Amino acid sequence: MIIPFTLNGEKTVIDIPGTKRVIDVLRENFGLQKTKASCYQGACGNCSILLDGHIVSSCTLPAFELKDRTVLTAEGYMKTEEYRRIDRAFNENSYYPCDFCRWGKIFAIHEFINSEENSSTESLTQALKGNQCNCTSPSLLLSIAEQIIKNERGTNPRPEYEHISRK
Amino acid sequence: MNISAENNRLSLVYMPTHLSEALELLTKNPDALIYAGGTDILSHQTTRMPVFNRQIISLRRVEELKIMRRYENFVEIGSAVTLGEILRRKESRFLPPVLKYAVQAIGTPALRNTATVGGNLAVSDRKLLLLPVLLILDSFLEVRSQHSTRFLEIKRFLDENNTIRLKPGEIITKIRVPTGRFNLYGFSTLPGCVIRTQDYFMMCYAVRKNRSVLEKINFAFNIDGRHIIRIKQTEDRLIGKKTPLLPSEIQEELKFFQTKTEGLLPFLPVYKKERIFNYFRLMLTQEMNRAAFIE
């Protein structure tokens, strides 16, 4: 099946079986290895990508669903300014999740920043619950995410992590 | 006809852009798989190459199924609207809060961005979260086939097992959710439960209270994703009563409710029956006394 779509800002056409999972298309056909394959059930959050700007699990998505859509993977998102700010917040707080769950967590924060949900701890916990890896403290992620969202939405006039020098 | 159908070597995928095309395809290929969000289909297959039907009709490009409109007394939701969009779109401000609570309780943000409202209702082997909620809100379903349209209250589509039954060639096209009928809502699931487990519990209710008098009350339970319990007689008995209910009234209603549930689900283990009973008691003793939500 011929599937035209936009991958990380570049128009792409690929001829593959339409029922192949998107996670496998990204990893095998495009070599985008930062998207990790784990559960194949949409439960762990490790295979998260941005489809038309919204977080989805690429393992529960068949390739034909990509037709005429825009996909942003970790490799593409790394080039954005938003990623740099999230990454800086992670670094400033010495928060280093493992390579498996890192992008699921970053995309979950991205999704929350761009939603209209109120930034209460409860709704943020709900938004981050899609990542089941406990390589790092979930409570630390929650507090960092709260800080990032406040800064991104402009509700925090003095972004704290910008004033902490990187060691 | 603007349909892209391509043989992907394993399945033939049709991607119609209009509803009429999708219905025509379904009539021609009655065994085809209707694909909306696909979360239920794919999360049940852990093999790397999922197995699909020979023919797949994807509804993702059918714009008519992705509308969400607000009217004076109801909000109309297209069946291919994703659960994530329900929370994001501006029309969702007018939806009864219980529906939003239910959507938020479903899965993770990534899953909600793929799963659709129609898919949540049409899953045939289990009853997911939205069915009991839409049931208590007295919602309507529009179901269409190539030559006919049925537009009925959701309860009229349910069979004896409270499962939505569609005729061959039919798809759910719209869900109409009435607004302004109730002013007190409640929704609770057992913390940490996911619907795939064998031990799942959910309760929801919608009440119209005028001052402190119960004018209308609908409530439903979802047990293990297999049984939806709604006891009309109990609902009717509560209408006209003043809140807070008197202790004698509560006792009377609990007794009546217990006899009804005993008869309905004789095979349920005792702890599950007690759970239903306790949630019902909580609803009568505490929840009903809350101040009504002002719309």
Side-chain angles (χ1 to χ4, degrees):
Chain A
M1 182 175 186
I2 295 165
I3 303 164
F5 68 106
T6 308
L7 177 62
N8 293 334
E10 282 179 28
K11 291 204 167 160
T12 315
V13 180
I14 188 167
D15 186 5
I16 44 162
T19 50
K20 190 172 180 178
R21 292 175 196 261
V22 171
I23 176 73
D24 292 331
V25 175
L26 295 174
R27 288 176 65 85
E28 290 166 9
N29 297 71
F30 293 97
L32 300 168
Q33 301 287 321
K34 283 192 192 299
T35 312
K36 306 292 181 191
S38 299
C39 69
Y40 280 96
Q41 286 187 307
C44 68
N46 294 345
C47 65
S48 301
I49 56 165
L50 296 179
L51 185 66
D52 291 339
H54 294 291
I55 186 173
V56 296
S57 297
S58 59
C59 68
T60 52
L61 204 66
F64 66 80
E65 284 287 293
L66 291 183
K67 197 166 184 178
D68 301 327
R69 296 176 96 174
T70 307
V71 175
L72 199 61
T73 65
E75 286 83 354
Y77 188 69
M78 278 174 89
K79 294 171 189 161
T80 64
E81 190 53 42
E82 190 181 83
Y83 165 73
R84 287 190 198 105
R85 289 197 293 268
I86 294 173
D87 186 46
R88 196 169 64 216
F90 277 19
N91 286 336
E92 299 292 359
N93 290 285
S94 303
Y95 182 74
Y96 304 110
C98 70
D99 268 0
F100 262 82
C101 67
R102 178 180 171 80
W103 289 100
K105 286 172 178 168
I106 289 174
F107 286 146
I109 294 171
H110 162 89
E111 180 76 6
F112 197 87
I113 291 169
N114 293 292
S115 71
E116 285 178 10
E117 281 186 69
N118 59 12
S119 48
S120 66
T121 311
E122 197 183 324
S123 53
L124 191 53
T125 312
Q126 182 77 8
L128 296 173
K129 80 172 184 183
N131 300 281
Q132 297 183 348
C133 179
N134 282 336
C135 62
T136 40
S137 156
S139 57
L140 180 59
L141 173 66
L142 189 68
S143 55
I144 296 170
E146 271 178 332
Q147 198 184 45
I148 294 167
I149 283 147
K150 273 184 190 168
N151 296 340
E152 289 291 322
R153 289 181 174 177
T155 48
N156 186 356
R158 283 167 64 97
E160 279 173 29
Y161 55 76
E162 285 190 356
H163 299 282
I164 305 167
S165 61
R166 195 177 292 194
K167 289 173 186 171
Chain B
M1 197 182 239
N2 179 19
I3 299 170
S4 56
E6 295 184 51
N7 196 333
N8 66 22
R9 290 170 222 146
L10 296 169
S11 301
L12 189 67
V13 184
Y14 295 100
M15 300 189 88
T17 48
H18 294 288
L19 184 58
S20 54
E21 294 164 357
L23 293 170
E24 195 182 326
L25 283 166
L26 188 59
T27 311
K28 282 180 189 164
N29 311 291
D31 296 328
L33 172 76
I34 299 286
Y35 191 96
T39 47
D40 190 65
I41 301 164
L42 278 169
S43 62
H44 278 80
Q45 298 192 32
T46 47
T47 51
R48 291 190 70 187
M49 199 67 188
V51 182
F52 285 95
N53 293 27
R54 186 73 191 89
Q55 285 135 340
I56 301 168
I57 302 171
S58 168
L59 301 178
R60 205 247 309 158
R61 288 155 74 103
V62 181
E63 289 300 322
E64 290 137 288
L65 299 180
K66 293 199 275 187
I67 51 146
M68 192 164 159
R69 280 201 198 109
R70 185 215 171 190
Y71 294 88
E72 197 178 343
N73 297 320
F74 56 89
V75 175
E76 204 167 68
I77 307 170
S79 60
V81 171
T82 64
L83 301 177
E85 277 178 276
I86 288 195
L87 298 175
R88 281 194 294 272
R89 290 217 194 161
K90 62 179 193 301
E91 293 85 357
S92 68
R93 283 182 292 143
F94 306 103
L95 284 171
V98 67
L99 186 61
K100 285 190 269 181
Y101 302 150
V103 171
Q104 278 168 339
I106 296 171
T108 62
L111 183 130
R112 291 199 291 269
N113 284 335
T114 323
T116 62
V117 189
N120 197 287
L121 295 175
V123 170
S124 56
D125 60 336
R126 285 165 301 132
K127 282 110 189 165
L128 303 184
L129 275 184
L130 291 188
L131 182 57
V133 175
L134 291 171
L135 197 62
I136 61 154
L137 292 172
D138 299 333
S139 307
F140 285 73
L141 279 192
E142 186 192 80
V143 168
R144 285 180 66 175
S145 65
Q146 195 183 2
H147 301 296
S148 70
T149 303
R150 290 198 285 158
F151 187 76
L152 292 167
E153 262 190 274
I154 200 164
K155 64 185 172 196
R156 306 222 178 265
F157 286 98
L158 301 177
D159 63 9
E160 66 281 1
N161 296 319
N162 279 338
T163 305
I164 291 182
R165 290 284 172 227
L166 302 178
K167 293 175 188 166
E170 279 187 335
I171 57 172
I172 300 171
T173 47
K174 282 176 197 161
I175 297 105
R176 189 174 281 187
V177 185
T179 52
R181 285 197 186 180
F182 302 96
N183 50 21
L184 184 63
Y185 303 95
F187 173 86
S188 55
T189 51
L190 264 187
C193 278
V194 287
I195 204 143
R196 224 175 284 154
T197 65
Q198 294 299 305
D199 191 11
Y200 174 78
F201 178 81
M202 178 269 231
M203 184 192 87
C204 56
Y205 64 82
V207 175
R208 188 173 69 229
K209 240 167 75 160
N210 190 353
R211 293 172 194 270
S212 57
V213 178
L214 298 171
E215 287 189 341
K216 190 170 168 60
I217 170 165
N218 291 350
F219 67 92
F221 299 92
N222 185 342
I223 319 291
D224 301 338
R226 290 204 175 85
H227 316 286
I228 289 179
I229 301 179
R230 190 178 169 197
I231 302 169
K232 199 84 184 89
Q233 290 106 314
T234 309
E235 290 174 357
D236 293 342
R237 281 167 66 100
L238 287 165
I239 291 172
K241 295 209 163 145
K242 205 173 172 186
T243 55
L245 297 174
L246 299 169
S248 58
E249 285 176 321
I250 293 172
Q251 283 309 318
E252 201 182 315
E253 291 310 322
L254 286 174
K255 206 173 168 187
F256 182 79
F257 182 76
Q258 198 166 20
T259 28
K260 282 284 162 196
T261 45
E262 285 284 341
L264 273 175
L265 300 165
F267 47 85
L268 269 193
V270 177
Y271 79 95
K272 286 191 182 177
K273 283 182 190 164
E274 282 193 0
R275 190 182 281 163
I276 303 170
F277 185 69
N278 287 339
Y279 268 80
F280 180 68
R281 178 163 49 202
L282 188 76
M283 186 178 84
L284 291 187
T285 52
Q286 293 179 21
E287 300 284 309
M288 289 294 139
N289 304 336
R290 285 195 292 138
F293 172 74
I294 299 160
E295 290 183 83

